[in-house]
């Protein structure tokens, strides 16, 4: 088999066989197929998609590229959650400890920033000392002892996704239903969970801009779960403005801490509680979803979710004091205010532009090997629907260097739409699939 022939066939819109897919994925994972050929294959897939059969094969080969964990000797139902990617989307760091505090075992394999969206691993690593590169043994020990653990794709688990994810991030090949579905489901199905809650984002800050596309993505992932005998439920949620106020890494950790201490933004708290409730219900901790919602709220309100998060931060090498004393988190050295050019209502905040600006000043990567700057980001002062006066602060841009700063500031300024009339309020949770 020759890689170039498979690229040509994919470019022509043909279906690849499972053997051909195995050749590509295993060849790339072992380093035999170079980045430039895999990038060409990914771009051809981006434009031509995959058939259902290809998607199944692709996901299963990716899943089998490393160990498939068996967590059945750890007592309790294992339920994870994953988002398809948003801006300011830090719900994993909130719903996981809520669910774990309620008795769910949460084995979470997450990703880094992707395209204009942030990643759970990058956010966690903004906490000084926090380690996400756990071995399988360490992951299992964390789950046994604390009921919750965070790790990344590794050379042991989901190595194909580790490499493909990093390549897609910098080659404009993220927004593909088949590539997103296989990326998410391969690592989630390898981690040994019994059930999975998905947050499929839709809107200007999501990879899926239209609800019909988000529904197709949700259905594809629920279908993969069903074939592998796992219960998967997807919520389709609005991503037409950043979730909460903070976009970046350390700044998002600060907002997570505030939310787990009951003083977080309303939209972030609401979605996180609903995701946690779905995890609790799928774990059969409560007989009904309403009971699960009540339990999730209790665990947030009585502080046990926050205590659980701090416990896990400490156990994974992070400094839990940084969650209360933000000066211990990486801090930016410069700040620029973005002001409203006129009075009116904030009719929209283009989340993708805010995410891109944050990436541009260092919160994300332009090349695979780029380090990220955990201190930088954007903190909104206003949300859609609010009234502002001319000259009012719309948001603050936190930076540590001047590279790309003017361009990022311009992008952020243009992301705010100010109009004469109050926009209609949007529903946050739009649909449930599965
Ligand atoms: N999250 C993932 O893990 N993979 C994607 O492709 C998108 C979001």
């Amino acid at each position: 088999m020759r890689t170039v022939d498979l690229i040509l066939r994919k470019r022509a819109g043909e279906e690849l066989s499972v053997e051909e897919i195995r050749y590509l994925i295993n060849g790339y994972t072992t380093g035999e197929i170079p980045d430039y050929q895999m990038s060409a294959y990914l771009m051809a897939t981006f434009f031509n998609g995959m058939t259902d059969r290809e998607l199944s094969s692709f996901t299963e080969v990716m899943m089998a590229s490393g160990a498939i964990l068996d967590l059945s000797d750890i007592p309790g139902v294992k339920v994870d959650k994953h988002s398809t990617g948003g801006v300011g989307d830090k719900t994993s760091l909130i719903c996981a400890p809520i669910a774990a505090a309620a008795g769910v075992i949460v084995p979470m394999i997450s990703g880094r920033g992707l395209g204009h969206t942030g990643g759970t691993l990058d956010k966690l690593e903004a906490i000084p000392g926090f380690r996400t590169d756990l071995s399988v043994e360490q992951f299992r020990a964390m789950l046994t002892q604390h009921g919750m653990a965070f790790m990344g794709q590794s050379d042991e688990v989901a190595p194909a996704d580790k490499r493909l994810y990093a390549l897609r991030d910098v080659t404009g090949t993220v927004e593909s239903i088949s590539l997103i579905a296989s990326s998410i489901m391969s690592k989630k199905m390898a981690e040994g969970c019994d059930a999975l809650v998905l947050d499929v984002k839709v809107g200007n800050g999501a990879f899926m801009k239209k609800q019909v596309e988000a529904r197709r993505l949700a259905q594809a992932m629920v279908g993969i779960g069903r074939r592998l005998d796992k219960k998967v439920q997807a919520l389709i949620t609005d991503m037409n403005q950043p979730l909460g106020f903070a976009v970046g890494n350390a700044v998002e950790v600060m907002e997570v801490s505030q939310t787990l201490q009951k003083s977080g933004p309303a939209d972030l708290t609401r979605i996180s509680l609903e995701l946690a409730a779905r995890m609790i219900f799928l774990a059969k901790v409560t007989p009904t979803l309403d009971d699960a919602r009540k339990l999730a709220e209790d665990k947030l309100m009585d502080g046990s979710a926050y205590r659980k998060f701090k416990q896990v931060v400490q156990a994974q090498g992070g400094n839990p004091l940084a969650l209360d004393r933000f000066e211990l988190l990486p801090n930016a050295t410069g700040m620029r205010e973005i002001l409203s050019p006129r009075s009116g209502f904030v009719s929209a905040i283009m989340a993708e532009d805010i995410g891109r600006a944050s990436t541009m000043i260092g919160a994300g990567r332009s090349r695979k090997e780029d380090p990220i700057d955990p201190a930088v980001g954007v903190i909104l002062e206003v949300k859609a629907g609010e009234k502002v006066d001319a000259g009012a602060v719309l948001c603050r841009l936190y930076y540590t260097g001047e590279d790309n700063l003017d361009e990022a500031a311009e992008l952020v300024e243009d992301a705010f739409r100010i109009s004469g009339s109050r926009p209609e309020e949007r529903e946050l949770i739009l649909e449930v699939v599965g």
Side-chain angles (χ1 to χ4, degrees):
M1 236 178 268
R2 288 194 327 150
T3 307
V4 64
D5 296 329
L6 303 185
I7 296 170
L8 287 168
R9 295 210 15 239
K10 195 67 222 168
R11 196 186 69 181
E14 290 176 27
E15 182 185 62
L16 299 190
S17 70
V18 64
E19 290 76 24
E20 290 167 329
I21 287 170
R22 193 173 293 117
Y23 167 88
L24 280 173
I25 291 178
N26 292 347
Y28 185 61
T29 308
T30 55
E32 280 153 50
I33 296 182
D35 280 352
Y36 59 84
Q37 285 192 306
M38 203 59 188
S39 305
Y41 163 79
L42 289 172
M43 191 57 85
T45 301
F46 176 90
F47 282 113
N48 291 321
M50 290 185 199
T51 63
D52 288 349
R53 197 160 42 187
E54 273 181 304
L55 177 58
S56 276
S57 308
F58 200 87
T59 309
E60 286 173 33
V61 173
M62 295 250 292
M63 177 174 90
S65 65
I68 298 175
L69 306 192
D70 176 2
L71 303 178
S72 57
D73 58 326
I74 299 173
V77 186
K78 290 97 203 162
V79 186
D80 193 5
K81 171 264 165 188
H82 200 86
S83 163
T84 58
V87 178
D89 181 6
K90 55 209 68 88
T91 59
S92 289
L93 302 188
I94 302 163
C95 69
I98 296 175
V104 181
I105 305 294
V106 187
M108 188 170 273
I109 299 193
S110 306
R112 299 196 174 276
L114 193 62
H116 66 276
T117 69
T120 299
L121 298 180
D122 292 335
K123 291 171 205 186
L124 283 168
E125 287 176 3
I127 303 170
F130 197 103
R131 287 194 42 214
T132 58
D133 58 343
L134 303 186
S135 67
V136 168
E137 274 326 299
Q138 289 167 326
F139 189 62
R140 291 173 63 86
M142 280 290 306
L143 291 172
T144 307
Q145 214 180 332
H146 303 288
M148 180 171 113
F150 296 104
M151 73 179 262
Q153 315 98 316
S154 66
D155 292 340
E156 265 185 292
V157 186
D161 185 54
K162 181 180 178 186
R163 299 206 67 207
L164 281 173
Y165 191 97
L167 187 64
R168 286 171 55 221
D169 183 30
V170 292
T171 53
T173 50
V174 173
E175 301 92 335
S176 146
I177 289 183
S178 36
L179 293 175
I180 295 175
S182 54
S183 161
I184 293 179
M185 296 308 286
S186 62
K187 58 183 168 281
K188 295 290 159 176
M189 297 295 104
E191 76 186 7
C193 64
D194 300 307
L196 175 65
V197 176
L198 293 166
D199 184 3
V200 179
K201 297 284 182 205
V202 62
N204 65 48
F207 296 128
M208 300 294 114
K209 307 293 184 207
K210 300 202 179 91
Q211 200 162 329
V212 53
E213 294 168 347
R215 191 178 303 126
R216 277 179 50 217
L217 175 58
Q219 285 164 344
M221 292 191 285
V222 169
I224 294 170
R226 194 170 296 138
R227 281 194 290 282
L228 295 171
D229 220 18
K230 308 276 183 189
K231 178 78 189 143
V232 180
Q233 195 166 66
L235 303 189
I236 299 181
T237 68
D238 185 67
M239 182 34 72
N240 278 299
Q241 64 173 328
L243 195 52
F245 293 94
V247 178
N249 291 292
V251 291
E252 292 200 34
V253 169
M254 294 178 202
E255 198 166 67
V256 164
S257 170
Q258 288 159 343
T259 307
L260 285 170
Q261 294 180 84
K262 299 167 278 186
S263 51
D267 56 351
L268 177 63
T269 305
R270 160 115 205 277
I271 294 191
S272 303
L273 278 172
E274 184 63 19
L275 292 165
R278 303 262 167 185
M279 294 171 78
I280 293 168
F281 181 56
L282 287 187
K284 301 194 176 73
V285 174
T286 58
T288 69
L289 179 58
D290 277 340
D291 290 338
R293 288 188 176 118
K294 167 91 184 49
L295 185 58
E297 190 143 2
D298 289 350
K299 295 298 168 190
L300 179 67
M301 290 302 167
D302 69 10
S304 48
Y306 188 45
R307 283 194 295 280
K308 173 61 71 181
F309 187 57
K310 285 178 127 178
Q311 197 183 85
V312 169
V313 165
Q314 179 148 32
Q316 292 201 212
N319 182 0
L321 291 178
L323 299 174
D324 292 320
R325 292 175 43 202
F326 295 159
E327 71 275 15
L328 298 176
L329 289 168
N331 274 292
T333 49
M335 187 269 286
R336 188 180 287 192
E337 290 183 334
I338 306 294
L339 308 179
S340 181
R342 67 186 84 85
S343 301
F345 291 93
V346 179
S347 58
I349 305 174
M350 305 309 281
E352 177 164 352
D353 293 339
I354 302 276
R356 278 181 50 217
S358 172
T359 303
M360 217 181 249
I361 55 171
R365 299 170 182 80
S366 307
R367 288 179 315 174
K368 275 198 315 173
E369 50 287 346
D370 284 350
I372 64 144
D373 184 341
V376 303
V378 176
I379 300 188
L380 307 184
E381 267 302 303
V382 296
K383 298 278 284 186
E386 284 183 37
K387 199 163 185 307
V388 288
D389 294 326
V393 177
L394 297 173
C395 73
R396 294 186 171 84
L397 199 60
Y398 291 90
Y399 59 91
T400 56
E402 308 266 324
D403 283 358
N404 301 324
L405 183 61
D406 290 337
E407 206 184 330
E410 218 171 283
L411 200 55
V412 170
E413 206 170 321
D414 289 348
F416 286 84
R417 306 288 150 85
I418 312 292
S419 73
S421 54
R422 192 189 291 276
E424 266 184 36
E425 224 172 282
R426 287 178 185 274
E427 285 291 321
L428 265 181
I429 300 173
L430 302 164
E431 209 175 309
V432 180
V433 177

